[in-house]
Amino acid sequence: MEIIILPTAAEASEVAARLIARQVREKPSSVLGLATGSTPCKLYQLLARMHREDGLDFSKATTFNLDEYVNLDPTHPASYHQFMEENFFSHVNLRRESVHIPDGMVADVPAHCAEYERAIRKAGGIDLQILGLGSDGHLGFNEPGSSLASRTRIKTLTERTRSDNARFFTGAQEVPHHVITMGLGTIMESRMCLLLAFGKAKAEAVAASVEGPVTASVPGSLLQFHPQAKVLLDAESASSLRRAEYYQGVYQNKPSWQTDL
Ligand code: F6R
């Protein structure tokens, strides 16, 4: 795990944007795993600007989103279909047929989840997966207790996540109980994972994920087993880390051949 701590979320998002831009330039047909929520908003703005101003080309890329609410119409303002459209897809040149988001309206959820897994495999697997972190340690919508080997499936949100996400709805009661999410096993097969977490509310989940034991009780901790996981933090989300100074020293003193960010 590489822990990168920058003073602000904006600076950490810039590092993430440069990493993704490098991935797409080196391999235009990259398969990107995408997240929603507040955390990646700045990152998507930066990628959109790189597309507009520097010609960053997404026309050969494929994307798979982590998750979507069950029984929430894709035109609902809080659906992840809408989120992606507004925050990213409408600003870059991804081909619509290369974009995948779980369909929360399907009648046969297990069949749809199996098909989602097949589509990821058919695309060649995910090259780079963007991840946020729940305040309860969830990755995707794999809530604490999720199988560490889980695949795309239906999950029930914890009340904490429902209340965290109430800000996107008119009230807490409106937040669906169920979601379709890529599994932890699915996420772990990505060639690179980029976890972003910002703000004081994430500090405990970050510390448990990075420095705690690997446990299904903290899904983020599974990334300790990933061979290529980078964790991008701001000062607040890093504030409960015991080895923060060490991580900062590592980042500032990288050998020149590694300082490409
Ligand atoms: C979103 C997702 C979730 C969020 C997490 C953090 O697609 O999979 O794991 O990344 O809930 O959400 P924010 O960024 O809103 O704090």
Side-chain angles (χ1 to χ4, degrees):
M1 252 181 171
E2 181 180 7
I3 317 299
I4 302 175
I5 305 170
L6 279 304
T8 64
E11 287 161 280
S13 300
E14 283 189 21
V15 172
R18 287 201 290 275
L19 275 164
I20 295 161
R22 185 178 69 185
Q23 169 71 40
V24 172
R25 287 201 176 100
E26 283 177 1
K27 182 181 174 189
S29 63
S30 286
V31 180
L32 303 174
L34 303 179
T36 57
S38 305
T39 308
C41 285
K42 178 74 187 167
L43 166 64
Y44 290 139
Q45 280 170 22
L46 292 167
L47 290 173
R49 196 176 74 197
M50 287 171 164
H51 167 66
R52 223 175 28 248
E53 295 176 7
D54 311 328
L56 184 62
D57 181 14
F58 291 93
S59 65
K60 295 189 177 66
T62 300
T63 66
F64 287 90
N65 265 77
L66 282 167
D67 38 28
E68 179 57 288
Y69 294 104
V70 168
N71 277 335
L72 190 69
D73 195 277
T75 61
H76 188 287
S79 81
Y80 289 159
H81 281 75
Q82 280 300 308
F83 175 96
M84 290 310 301
E85 196 53 42
E86 279 164 29
N87 288 281
F88 193 46
F89 296 157
S90 60
H91 304 287
V92 294
N93 64 336
L94 277 159
R95 284 176 306 133
R96 293 295 145 148
E97 60 272 29
S98 305
V99 157
H100 306 81
I101 305 180
D103 181 352
M105 303 298 282
V106 284
D108 188 342
V109 172
H112 177 63
C113 293
E115 181 49 40
Y116 205 69
E117 290 278 335
R118 271 195 296 277
I120 294 173
R121 273 198 301 279
K122 198 170 156 211
I126 293 171
D127 290 302
L128 188 157
Q129 175 68 56
I130 301 166
L131 295 162
L133 186 66
S135 64
D136 63 0
H138 69 225
L139 276 191
F141 273 136
N142 296 282
E143 296 285 28
S146 292
S147 159
L148 300 181
S150 50
R151 313 302 307 189
T152 303
R153 70 212 181 293
I154 193 167
K155 279 297 288 182
T156 304
L157 295 179
T158 60
E159 284 311 306
R160 181 163 180 188
T161 299
R162 290 186 69 238
S163 103
D164 281 352
N165 287 5
R167 67 191 191 282
F168 296 112
F169 293 82
T170 51
Q173 286 319 306
E174 210 206 334
V175 183
H177 287 272
H178 294 110
V179 289
I180 293 174
T181 179
M182 274 187 209
L184 291 170
T186 322
I187 291 169
M188 285 295 283
E189 282 172 10
S190 310
R191 292 180 192 97
M192 184 191 285
C193 284
L194 210 56
L195 175 70
L196 284 73
F198 307 135
K200 191 78 191 153
K202 301 290 173 72
E204 291 313 312
V206 165
S209 298
V210 172
E211 295 179 337
V214 175
T215 166
S217 298
V218 183
S221 67
L222 183 57
L223 291 180
Q224 293 178 38
F225 274 128
H226 196 285
Q228 276 272 44
K230 291 182 193 288
V231 180
L232 285 157
L233 305 172
D234 64 1
E236 286 187 340
S237 64
S239 59
S240 296
L241 289 172
R242 289 191 307 274
R243 290 188 289 273
E245 258 183 53
Y246 171 68
Y247 308 134
Q248 279 166 320
V250 171
Y251 186 62
Q252 282 154 13
N253 297 297
K254 277 185 158 195
S256 56
W257 55 272
Q258 278 191 331
T259 51
D260 50 359
L261 301 178

